[in-house]
Amino acid sequence: MGPKNGKKEVRILLVGDPGVGKTSLILSLVSEEFPEDVPPRAEEITIPADVTPEKVPTNIVDYSAQEQTEESLITEIHRANVICVVYAVDDDDTIDRITSHWLPFIQEQLGEHHLIPIVLVGNKIDLVDYSSLEIILPIMNQYAEIESCVECSAKTLRNISELFYYAQKAVLHPTTPLYVTETRDLTEKCKKALTRIFKICDYDNDGILSDYELNQFQRRCFGTPLQPHALDDVKCVVGKNTTDGIKNDGLTLSGFLFLHILFIQRGRHETTWTVLRKFGYDDNINLSREYLCPRLVVPPGCTTELSHQGYHFLTTLFEKYDQDKDGCLSPEEVSDLFSTCPVIAWGPEIVNVVPTNDVGWITLQGYLAQWTLIAAIDVNRLMEFLAYLGYIANADENQLSAIIVTREKKLDLQRRQTSRNVFHCQVVGPQGAGKTSFMQGFIGKTLQLQASINKAELTPYTINSLQVYGQEKYVLMHEVDIFGMNDTLTPPELYCDVVCLMYDASHCRSFEYVARIFMKYFADSKVPVLVVGSKCDLPTAVQDYGMQPLQFCARHKLPPLQAFTANGAIRKDAYIKLATMAAYPVYKPAWKLLCQSRHLPMAQDSTMWVKAGLGMAAVAFISLFLVKIIKAASDNR
């Protein structure tokens, strides 16, 4: 799910007064023996990644006031990932200079609240029989940027490796973003991030991490489960130190946060950082851009859909947060579901976009349809939400496994088949033609239910699923208004899988608009077109146009004119036809043949359509079978 940490390399700068042993420390590390002749300054040293504990290349830079200018020092301070301020434990003046010169000077260059960690290094511990930490501790409490203090000896090699390990660790696993020393508590950003992680790993949403959930968490972060005795030890420690950390033999959020405080207090920052990075956080405890939105290339003519893995994850999430198991999400359950995200993925307009129950709560069908809509029109937004929600395919995958980039549409047309499951339908017609009623009918709203719609919450989209020859397909409808005879459709409005040209069958001038749009944009197009006459419950008006709609469809070899009304029970005929036309563009020539008959009635149900489709499918199959037989016979000659 990303690199172990956010740093490609670590640059360590050593500063301090002359004579404290900066150069000796570097040379002792490299040669593993104390140098007899010490130069004024060591050359920059690079330690390869494969010999460092964190597998990150490390550059060690020395500073010498004797050989370098203050400008050179300032440049190096700005380049450094961590600064080691070296003092001599046997020289109180060098200790005083930590606060009187070095720390203020560094703050002057980087800003008072800079994020470059500082490590205090007490050299020459071999010359005294006491520790300087008692003097150093108040300094560490005063300056938040100080990560740690290491006492060492360049002469005896004591703690030399540890010094540079702690310096590297201060960069890769810094304390400041995680922990507030004064309050002995986690920072607010760290608490928020760990709370998100806890909620993601709480699969049954009961507020407790069971042994199974803890082991799944452990596998994801560290690649191995905890042994039973280790689990018991963890719960025992939490139980002894907190009043509410253990509940029903599981770990609560309070206990989970306490464990991370304990890790940090014991110097095991890397444990907490490993957890944070496995769940997408960078060094500032923000979800990284790479984690939120992996690079995805969608070539022209291709679309984006959810994969089976994506639908499975989102369905599991729905079931997790549907606490009362009523098959829909209440506003409270929706809020809980998106508690790991900065915002909720949809607002009150959702009730007019996808199927909901009688009180406007989103059903599983509507919930999956809404995610399908987001995948189709804003795939980057989908990937961000999947990241926030904790999408997990396996340790080596990211959100891309939840997405399918479809084949180019022109290839589908050439090969006369498609594997796509989501189709875009433009619903085009003049204002007042009934487009909104048609689209709301698609999500199950009759004219009577539509009367209560808040017009301000209407969007130009609706989406729902349909069965087409036994397969579930989604149709994404987009409403396009025609405002006049010279109205122009934009390229995005022309790019679709099927067009629904809608007119008001009860209004004598309504058909003229869609007829002109058809002749201007779709007469020579490969996009299938269905003409729908709405408000068919009202008296049919003779259209003030050169041809009546039925004749127009026959003349231009369009599928039969489709009648529709949202008044009363809503029939699905028109929706099924649109889905079928989009899903099976291979049959478009056959529609033209069917429509040549002058006796086709205005379709009232989908029976004829389904029979025709099945007949054409059978013809296609038999033709393919005959081709194989002929080829086999030819091969045997």
Side-chain angles (χ1 to χ4, degrees):
M1 298 295 288
K4 186 174 182 180
N5 54 65
K7 299 292 182 185
K8 294 182 179 179
E9 64 177 19
V10 173
R11 189 172 183 84
I12 303 171
L13 172 64
L14 273 66
V15 299
D17 291 347
V20 294
K22 302 184 298 298
T23 305
S24 297
L25 288 170
I26 296 173
L27 297 178
S28 292
L29 173 74
V30 174
S31 64
E32 297 185 351
E33 62 180 10
F34 183 67
E36 294 298 332
D37 297 316
V38 181
R41 176 175 174 265
E43 294 297 323
E44 182 175 324
I45 302 297
T46 299
I47 303 176
D50 57 355
V51 298
T52 66
E54 296 291 341
K55 306 302 179 187
V56 175
T58 300
N59 299 311
I60 302 173
V61 181
D62 193 8
Y63 168 70
S64 169
Q66 180 181 338
E67 292 201 347
Q68 293 174 284
T69 64
E70 186 174 282
E71 288 73 20
S72 298
L73 173 60
I74 292 171
T75 299
E76 288 297 347
I77 286 174
H78 282 281
R79 294 182 66 194
N81 300 123
V82 56
I83 300 172
C84 294
V85 178
V86 184
Y87 65 93
V89 294
D90 65 332
D91 186 344
D92 290 345
D93 288 343
T94 64
I95 296 175
D96 292 339
R97 288 266 293 173
I98 295 172
T99 53
S100 66
H101 174 70
W102 288 110
L103 293 178
F105 182 79
I106 293 168
Q107 285 189 349
E108 184 180 339
Q109 310 313 317
L110 300 177
E112 186 177 351
H113 302 291
H114 69 84
L115 298 176
I116 300 298
I118 306 292
V119 175
L120 300 182
V121 180
N123 190 24
K124 305 186 182 182
I125 193 68
D126 59 292
L127 298 180
V128 298
D129 56 2
Y130 58 84
S131 171
S132 64
L133 293 181
E134 188 174 336
I135 303 172
I136 295 299
L137 191 58
I139 300 174
M140 294 178 67
N141 291 334
Q142 181 183 353
Y143 290 85
E145 62 265 42
I146 299 176
E147 283 284 324
S148 57
C149 177
V150 183
E151 292 187 326
C152 58
S153 169
K155 188 170 186 178
T156 66
L157 307 185
R158 180 180 172 185
N159 288 345
I160 298 297
S161 297
E162 287 80 358
L163 153 64
F164 291 101
Y165 168 70
Y166 278 113
Q168 189 183 62
K169 185 177 175 180
V171 177
L172 304 178
H173 312 300
T175 304
T176 304
L178 304 180
Y179 189 72
V180 182
T181 306
E182 293 81 1
T183 61
R184 297 177 62 82
D185 198 4
L186 301 172
T187 63
E188 288 305 312
K189 284 184 79 170
C190 185
K191 283 182 186 177
K192 185 177 179 181
L194 291 173
T195 299
R196 168 182 169 263
I197 292 168
F198 180 93
K199 289 183 71 69
I200 288 170
C201 296
D202 180 14
Y203 299 137
D204 55 7
N205 199 32
D206 66 349
I208 300 168
L209 294 185
S210 64
D211 287 359
Y212 171 77
E213 290 166 339
L214 275 170
N215 269 323
Q216 291 299 104
F217 162 80
Q218 183 77 9
R219 280 192 181 94
R220 184 180 183 195
C221 294
F222 305 102
T224 181
L226 288 169
Q227 296 300 316
H229 67 85
L231 269 174
D232 292 338
D233 290 346
V234 166
K235 287 186 281 189
C236 182
V237 169
V238 173
K240 284 181 179 179
N241 289 275
T242 64
T243 57
D244 58 351
I246 301 295
K247 183 178 179 182
N248 298 334
D249 198 37
L251 192 67
T252 65
L253 175 60
S254 175
F256 186 71
L257 296 178
F258 167 76
L259 274 179
H260 287 280
I261 292 174
L262 198 60
F263 292 145
I264 295 165
Q265 289 176 346
R266 293 182 177 179
R268 291 175 53 192
H269 308 69
E270 65 272 17
T271 302
T272 299
W273 275 115
T274 299
V275 170
L276 291 169
R277 285 168 178 145
K278 286 291 184 179
F279 283 84
Y281 290 96
D282 62 18
D283 292 347
N284 297 316
I285 319 188
N286 297 317
L287 287 175
S288 68
R289 197 67 216 161
E290 179 188 12
Y291 177 82
L292 287 174
C293 201
R295 185 171 181 269
L296 177 67
V297 176
V298 183
C302 301
T303 59
T304 46
E305 302 178 1
L306 280 161
S307 68
H308 173 74
Q309 284 174 277
Y311 279 119
H312 176 74
F313 170 77
L314 292 166
T315 301
T316 302
L317 204 66
F318 182 96
E319 292 167 349
K320 171 180 175 177
Y321 288 97
D322 181 17
Q323 290 286 283
D324 54 10
K325 306 304 176 189
D326 63 349
C328 54
L329 297 179
S330 68
E332 293 76 18
E333 289 169 339
V334 169
S335 180
D336 194 18
L337 187 151
F338 286 107
S339 61
T340 61
C341 307
V343 294
I344 294 175
W346 53 76
E349 78 286 343
I350 192 73
V351 71
N352 302 318
V353 178
V354 299
T356 60
N357 70 358
D358 294 341
V359 294
W361 295 358
I362 194 167
T363 61
L364 177 59
Q365 180 183 357
Y367 166 88
L368 294 177
Q370 175 64 16
W371 285 117
T372 303
L373 170 65
I374 295 173
I377 66 175
D378 194 347
V379 70
N380 288 332
R381 184 164 173 258
L382 170 75
M383 289 196 290
E384 286 193 22
F385 273 105
L386 287 174
Y388 285 122
L389 293 166
Y391 174 79
I392 302 168
N394 63 55
D396 300 318
E397 292 186 11
N398 54 25
Q399 303 95 296
L400 297 182
S401 63
I403 295 163
I404 295 171
V405 177
T406 66
R407 188 170 62 190
E408 254 188 289
K409 185 182 172 184
K410 67 179 182 181
L411 293 177
D412 284 348
L413 293 172
Q414 289 170 5
R415 299 179 185 183
R416 298 189 173 186
Q417 61 180 352
T418 181
S419 60
R420 293 166 57 194
N421 294 305
V422 183
F423 301 98
H424 296 239
C425 172
Q426 299 288 17
V427 182
V428 183
Q431 289 186 315
K435 300 186 300 298
T436 301
S437 294
F438 181 73
M439 292 176 62
Q440 290 299 308
F442 186 43
I443 58 174
K445 289 187 177 179
T446 64
L447 207 57
Q448 291 71 27
L449 290 174
Q450 293 177 31
S452 60
I453 289 177
N454 181 350
K455 302 297 183 185
E457 294 176 356
L458 277 175
T459 76
Y461 294 102
T462 59
I463 185 169
N464 203 353
S465 59
L466 290 166
Q467 291 290 319
V468 179
Y469 298 143
Q471 294 183 328
E472 186 175 49
K473 305 290 184 182
Y474 283 95
V475 177
L476 167 56
M477 293 193 175
H478 178 239
E479 182 175 349
V480 181
D481 275 329
I482 301 172
F483 294 101
M485 290 300 178
N486 296 319
D487 198 48
T488 301
L489 298 183
T490 63
E493 291 169 343
L494 293 171
Y495 180 78
C496 58
D497 301 299
V498 64
V499 173
C500 173
L501 291 178
M502 178 162 284
Y503 74 99
D504 179 354
S506 68
H507 192 290
C508 64
R509 294 294 302 275
S510 186
F511 181 72
E512 182 180 5
Y513 289 86
V514 299
R516 288 176 181 270
I517 284 291
F518 175 82
M519 297 304 296
K520 183 176 181 180
Y521 292 106
F522 300 110
D524 298 318
S525 169
K526 292 182 179 180
V527 179
V529 175
L530 179 67
V531 179
V532 176
S534 70
K535 307 180 186 179
C536 69
D537 55 310
L538 301 176
T540 302
V542 176
Q543 293 298 312
D544 188 9
Y545 186 69
M547 279 182 285
Q548 293 305 298
L550 202 62
Q551 296 171 305
F552 185 89
C553 291
R555 171 69 61 86
H556 295 284
K557 299 180 175 60
L558 293 172
L561 180 65
Q562 177 67 47
F564 174 80
T565 179
N567 191 6
I570 296 174
R571 302 179 69 116
K572 295 185 178 180
D573 309 43
Y575 307 122
I576 292 172
K577 287 185 180 181
L578 287 167
T580 306
M581 292 164 68
Y584 295 94
V586 59
Y587 299 139
K588 185 176 179 182
W591 301 330
K592 294 179 180 180
L593 292 173
L594 284 173
C595 296
Q596 287 174 356
S597 170
R598 297 181 180 180
H599 305 293
L600 283 177
M602 196 172 193
Q604 295 298 319
D605 59 61
S606 60
T607 306
M608 180 189 72
W609 189 262
V610 172
K611 286 181 179 178
L614 290 173
M616 287 180 280
V619 169
F621 176 79
I622 292 169
S623 300
L624 179 62
F625 186 68
L626 287 174
V627 167
K628 289 184 176 179
I629 290 176
I630 293 168
K631 186 178 185 300
S634 176
D635 291 342
N636 291 330
R637 287 179 180 177

